[in-house]
Amino acid sequence: MCGIVGYAGSRAAQGILLKGLHSLEYRGYDSAGIAVLDGHDGMDVVCRTGKVDALDAALTGRGLAGTCGIGHTRWATHGRPSEENAHPHRDCSGRIAVVHNGIIENFAELKDRLVGEGHVFVSETDTEVVAHLLERFYEGDLLAAMRRCVSFLQGAFGLAAVCVDEPDRIVVTRRDSPIVIGAGGDCALVASDIPALIDVTRDVIYLDDDQFAVLHTSGDIECYARDGRQIEPKVSHIDWDVDVAERAGFEDFMDKEIHEQPRVVHDTLMGRLKDGRMTLDELALTSEQIAAIERIFIVACGSSYHAGLIGKNLIERWARIPVDIMVASEFRYSDPIVDGSTLVISITQSGETADTLAAMRLAHSHGSKVFTITNRVGSRASRESDGVIYTKAGLEISVAATKSFIAQVVALTCLALFLGQERGKLDGATVARLYAELNRTPGQIEHILLDTSAIERAAEACTQAHSALFVGRGIGSTVCYEGALKLKEISYLHAEAYAAGEIKHGPIALIDRNVPVVALACRSATYPQVVSNIQELRARTPSCVIVVATEGDEEIRKSADHVLYVPEIDECFQGITATVVFQLFARFIARARGCDVDQPRNLAKSVTVE
Ligand code: F6R
């Protein structure tokens, strides 16, 4: 999704803005631009379609001197990717410029009114109305104009604006769209995400909905509440390292992040078993409250939803609490049966996904407690929750979720064990045995990563396919959904995933000599059934059959063209190890097909619009 960066200080803004934009590239975008106030009654605005490199090239040798400016990476929603539609957008006079994340839902009606009043629009975007509204309300005070402007806006927005008449400041506000401010001492920054400012400062201020901030080139930062009162900003310190955002010798961030998974699992598990008992102190749930949970409802999107499916399986298995799950975009517009006896669990890596946040608010409005599993401290979802379990994945740059997904599965596994223990469904010995088994997964992932040649060979056999069919049972079917999603999103090869028992009811018709079958057949209670399903599929002559199986299973070779072995583990934890195989499989195919693995087309890392 779009990225915002702004700098007000004493250094040349151009380089800082461009660096900030590069660090937001992972969010996904299709054009980029900056506006820099020159301090002499003028403003330079440069935009380019494509990558930030194109903007870099356009600015090479120009060396804009201004020390106050804003920049943006745009992910097209209203209007195709073009220089006209790229941000920053300006008013008719060219004296005000604005960058925007989110969607102005009533822009068409506002635009009609502004055009009727004589404003001239040059883009197809919703954002341009903000520039013209600011012009309409500007009477020498950009903050006052911004206040009046947002009172007319419906939708979601993070906004940063500058005006040549106030060359020493940036005005910022937000509603339902992430904005973070950097307090650099002698400078101030604004960004839609921390990587864009961490190079300059680790001290940040999270702006709340409908708050405003004015960033001065002196470094002063003024924050204002919705009612206009000046408020004391709360400064938080970021303690993770910039080098986590570097590739560290890997060919792409996805590969690096896949290889970080043993550490991520280990860190997410650390300290969970104390004196033989699972602990989730951060949820602050009393025994009475746990006993009173009648149902659990999980809401999430994409890969986080797949993690939720594994969570449902484990919570029902170990705690015997019924669990419903719905994608957040459906839940938010449904009439869900949730109340004070339902615990709602939202799962969101970024903590900023618009649909998940809306689902959480709906659940709250029905009187449910909402717990969040997220990777982002200070994110919107964490601040709106009654309890948070933080995953320890660290910053994930590649658009495709890998280590964040695995960390969610581990956190949900701990939650399921905890609920099973607290509801008296799992005795101490069983919890200890399962926890010990779970603790084997980091070593098992390392083992899988040690030699990936068989996965690469299987991937080579599929690069020319036009579609792939993934099948599994139980937790295995969920792993297949995630495997198929990874494949489609980074390689653009169509993939379907089905519970293996369902194939006879339709999907088997898809099989022909161009369609590989990818089956998950690790040792489990349903192993014999999956093997029969593989035979049924094989009989329809797919292009090849690839099977993920348990080490030592030689028999399975008779049913497969490629066998990808994973170490033996209790089936409850196969979601952790087998997913790693599918991540690597998708990445090998994507690279062979020449795709941009880290920034797949049309996708964004943080989906902050509906
Ligand atoms: C897939 C992927 C997406 C996200 C989804 C939810 O690789 O990354 O499907 O899982 O957009 O994002 P979060 O977890 O940030 O709410």
Side-chain angles (χ1 to χ4, degrees), residues 279-320:
T279 52
L280 283 178
D281 295 339
E282 59 268 58
L283 296 186
L285 276 172
T286 63
S287 314
E288 294 72 37
Q289 285 170 323
I290 295 171
I293 300 169
E294 285 179 12
R295 282 169 73 221
I296 288 177
F297 214 123
I298 298 178
V299 290
C301 305
S303 291
S304 298
Y305 172 78
H306 295 155
L309 288 171
I310 296 179
K312 170 182 160 68
N313 183 307
L314 297 181
I315 294 170
E316 290 185 337
R317 187 188 289 240
W318 292 331
R320 308 305 295 160

Side-chain angles (χ1 to χ4, degrees), residues 136 271 280 449 456 552 574:
R136 188 173 188 272
L280 283 178
L449 293 173
E456 189 165 9
Q574 286 167 4

Side-chain angles (χ1 to χ4, degrees), residues 4-18 21 33-39 42-45 64-72 88 97-99 160-163 166-172 188-191 215-217:
I4 285 177
V5 62
Y7 171 80
S10 53
R11 287 190 269 160
Q14 176 184 322
I16 296 169
L17 295 177
L18 286 172
L21 292 181
I34 61 170
V36 177
L37 298 171
D38 66 11
M43 174 161 54
D44 295 290
V45 179
L64 308 180
T67 66
C68 183
I70 51 179
H72 191 264
V98 64
V99 289
V162 289
C163 174
E166 298 174 55
D168 62 345
R169 68 192 58 186
I170 302 172
V171 171
V172 175
L189 297 100
V190 56
L215 282 49
H216 296 266
T217 49

Side-chain angles (χ1 to χ4, degrees), residues 254 299-306 347-357 373-376 396 398-402 404-405 408 482 485-486 489-490 603-607:
M254 184 178 183
V299 290
C301 305
S303 291
S304 298
Y305 172 78
H306 295 155
I347 309 170
T348 166
Q349 178 278 129
S350 63
E352 303 288 354
T353 300
D355 284 323
T356 308
L357 291 170
I373 295 176
T374 184
N375 198 35
R376 299 304 290 271
E396 191 173 64
S398 189
V399 164
T402 53
S404 66
F405 170 82
Q408 290 168 345
E482 178 59 9
L485 176 62
K486 283 294 89 89
E489 69 181 325
I490 65 167
L603 292 181
K605 183 70 186 162
S606 187
V607 186

